[in-house]
Protein backbone atom coordinates (compact mmCIF):
# COMPACT_ATOMS: atom_id res chain seq x y z
CA UNK A 1 0.00 0.00 0.00
CA UNK A 2 2.87 2.35 0.85
CA UNK A 3 4.47 1.74 -2.54
CA UNK A 4 1.21 2.61 -4.31
CA UNK A 5 0.95 5.86 -2.34
CA UNK A 6 4.62 6.65 -3.01
CA UNK A 7 4.16 5.99 -6.74
CA UNK A 8 1.04 8.20 -6.84
CA UNK A 9 2.87 10.99 -4.99
CA UNK A 10 5.83 10.72 -7.39
CA UNK A 11 3.49 10.84 -10.38
CA UNK A 12 1.74 13.96 -9.06
CA UNK A 13 5.07 15.60 -8.23
CA UNK A 14 6.47 15.02 -11.74
CA UNK A 15 3.27 16.33 -13.32
CA UNK A 16 3.47 19.48 -11.20
CA UNK A 17 7.12 19.96 -12.16
CA UNK A 18 6.13 20.18 -15.83
CA UNK A 19 3.22 22.56 -15.28
CA UNK A 20 3.36 25.99 -16.89
CA UNK A 21 1.71 29.13 -15.58
CA UNK A 22 0.02 31.05 -18.37
CA UNK A 23 -2.29 34.07 -18.04
CA UNK A 24 -5.84 32.96 -18.79
CA UNK A 25 -6.23 35.90 -21.16
CA UNK A 26 -3.42 34.49 -23.34
CA UNK A 27 -4.76 30.93 -23.29
CA UNK A 28 -6.48 29.81 -26.46
CA UNK A 29 -7.99 26.38 -26.69
CA UNK A 30 -10.10 24.98 -29.47
CA UNK A 31 -13.55 23.71 -28.68
CA UNK A 32 -14.20 19.98 -29.03
CA UNK A 33 -15.39 19.17 -32.53
CA UNK A 34 -13.75 22.16 -34.19
CA UNK A 35 -11.81 21.40 -37.33
CA UNK A 36 -8.09 21.55 -36.86
CA UNK A 37 -6.65 24.56 -38.62
CA UNK A 38 -3.02 24.92 -39.58
CA UNK A 39 -1.26 26.37 -36.59
CA UNK A 40 -0.06 29.90 -37.16
CA UNK A 41 2.53 31.45 -34.90
CA UNK A 42 0.60 33.30 -32.18
CA UNK A 43 2.05 36.41 -30.61
CA UNK A 44 0.91 36.84 -27.03
CA UNK A 45 0.38 40.09 -25.17
CA UNK A 46 3.37 39.20 -22.99
CA UNK A 47 5.52 39.31 -26.15
CA UNK A 48 3.82 42.41 -27.58
CA UNK A 49 4.07 44.40 -24.34
CA UNK A 50 7.60 44.21 -22.94
CA UNK A 51 7.82 46.25 -19.74
CA UNK A 52 4.08 45.90 -19.08
CA UNK A 53 2.64 43.55 -16.47
CA UNK A 54 -0.63 41.83 -15.62
CA UNK A 55 -0.06 42.46 -11.93
CA UNK A 56 0.45 46.23 -12.10
CA UNK A 57 -2.93 47.73 -11.21
CA UNK A 58 -2.01 50.99 -9.50
CA UNK A 59 0.97 53.35 -9.35
CA UNK A 60 2.62 55.33 -6.60
CA UNK A 61 1.87 59.03 -6.26
CA UNK A 62 3.17 61.08 -9.16
CA UNK A 63 3.11 58.21 -11.66
CA UNK A 64 0.37 57.31 -14.14
CA UNK A 65 -0.95 53.86 -15.01
CA UNK A 66 -0.43 53.24 -18.73
CA UNK A 67 -2.14 50.49 -20.77
CA UNK A 68 -0.26 48.52 -23.39
CA UNK A 69 -1.02 50.05 -26.80
CA UNK A 70 -1.15 46.68 -28.62
CA UNK A 71 -4.61 45.74 -29.82
CA UNK A 72 -6.42 43.52 -27.32
CA UNK A 73 -3.70 43.88 -24.65
CA UNK A 74 -5.00 46.83 -22.62
CA UNK A 75 -5.07 44.63 -19.49
CA UNK A 76 -1.25 44.81 -19.38
CA UNK A 77 -0.12 47.95 -17.52
CA UNK A 78 2.98 49.87 -16.43
CA UNK A 79 3.68 52.98 -14.39
CA UNK A 80 5.16 56.07 -16.06
Amino acid sequence: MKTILAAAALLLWTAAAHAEVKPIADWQASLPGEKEQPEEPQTTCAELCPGYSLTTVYCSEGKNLEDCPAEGCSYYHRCR
Side-chain angles (χ1 to χ4, degrees):
M1 184 65 173
K2 287 182 181 180
T3 56
I4 293 173
L5 290 175
L10 181 61
L11 181 65
L12 289 173
W13 180 77
T14 56
H18 295 292
E20 178 184 351
V21 176
K22 191 168 200 170
I24 191 74
D26 289 340
W27 181 69
Q28 296 179 4
S30 60
L31 297 173
E34 280 187 16
K35 291 182 180 178
E36 291 289 327
Q37 296 180 2
E39 193 170 316
E40 296 177 16
Q42 296 289 325
T43 305
T44 64
C45 289
E47 295 169 335
L48 290 172
C49 305
Y52 292 83
S53 171
L54 280 172
T55 58
T56 303
V57 291
Y58 64 92
C59 298
S60 60
E61 190 173 331
K63 294 192 175 197
N64 294 321
L65 189 66
E66 183 179 281
D67 297 342
C68 177
E71 184 177 334
C73 298
S74 62
Y75 53 91
Y76 275 76
H77 307 286
R78 72 177 174 188
C79 294
R80 283 256 190 197

